[in-house]
Every structure is written in C-alpha cells, then in structure tokens.
Amino acid sequence: MPPSSTGGTKTLFMGNLASNVEKSDIEKFFETAGRVVDVRLVTSKKDGSFMNYGYAEFSSSEEAQKALVEFQRKELLGRKIRLDVSVDMGPDGRVLRTPDSTFTGGFDWPPFWLRKQD
C-alpha cells in the first residue's frame, strides 16, 4: 500500500524501471498528474550502467501526491513501477529530512527494566 502523503516533498522515487526508459517516457507517463520538472535516472559508479531506478521531481508537492496515488504499480514500458516518497539528502549523503518524521531522541539506554538493580 502506498504512503498516504508525500509529506511536502516534490520528488518521488521510482523503482523497477525498464532498462530502456528515457526521461521523456517518464514525463509523458506522469503528465496527467502534473508537470515533471526533473528526472534523474541512477547509473552505476562502477560501469555507468542504468540501475533501473530514479527520481521524478514535480512542480508541486500536490502533483507528486497525485502521481504517488494514481500511478503506483502502473505499467511503464512493460514493467510495473514502484513509487515512494523521496527523502532529502545532504551533500555528505546523510538524510536531512524524512517526510512526516518524528524526533525520537532523548531516551535513556538501557531502559530501566534492563538496568542492574543494586
């Protein structure tokens, strides 16, 4: 089941893409959901081959949400694509923000029930 919200992000992850997919195929595929402003198809650093996944950035988070709901597991060039919300990454490769994230820090470890009693 797809996530219920993009959490404000305009970018969707696309998995299970056909090896011969082009940026124009993706733009046309999503045109009823909204305008795709950028498509990034991921290639291997080792040999430059396409890794069968990528990212589509829409002009608004509402358009990304519409695409997430309407196009999940729809067929593109003979393959059912998997869509998910993209996370924002920093220049060092660490996650900057995840959609609808909740801070969970500040807990004591180990929890009181695992601590040695004197």
Side-chain angles (χ1 to χ4, degrees), residues 74-91:
K74 297 288 183 188
E75 208 168 280
L76 173 63
L77 300 177
R79 297 186 70 165
K80 289 184 179 178
I81 65 167
R82 184 178 71 81
L83 300 174
D84 206 343
V85 176
S86 178
V87 295
D88 296 333
M89 302 296 275

Side-chain angles (χ1 to χ4, degrees), residues 26-98:
I26 292 168
E27 290 166 350
K28 185 173 177 153
F29 181 71
F30 287 124
E31 69 186 357
T32 60
R35 188 169 67 88
V36 175
V37 295
D38 188 32
V39 175
R40 295 182 307 278
L41 300 175
V42 179
T43 56
S44 169
K45 289 181 183 179
K46 183 178 176 184
D47 62 8
S49 63
F50 178 50
M51 302 291 291
N52 297 89
Y53 71 94
Y55 300 88
E57 182 180 346
F58 292 82
S59 59
S60 72
S61 59
E62 292 80 16
E63 291 173 350
Q65 171 65 33
K66 184 176 180 182
L68 180 66
V69 172
E70 290 183 15
F71 292 93
Q72 185 68 263
R73 307 291 297 158
K74 297 288 183 188
E75 208 168 280
L76 173 63
L77 300 177
R79 297 186 70 165
K80 289 184 179 178
I81 65 167
R82 184 178 71 81
L83 300 174
D84 206 343
V85 176
S86 178
V87 295
D88 296 333
M89 302 296 275
D92 60 355
R94 294 175 59 189
V95 174
L96 292 176
R97 175 186 74 79
T98 57

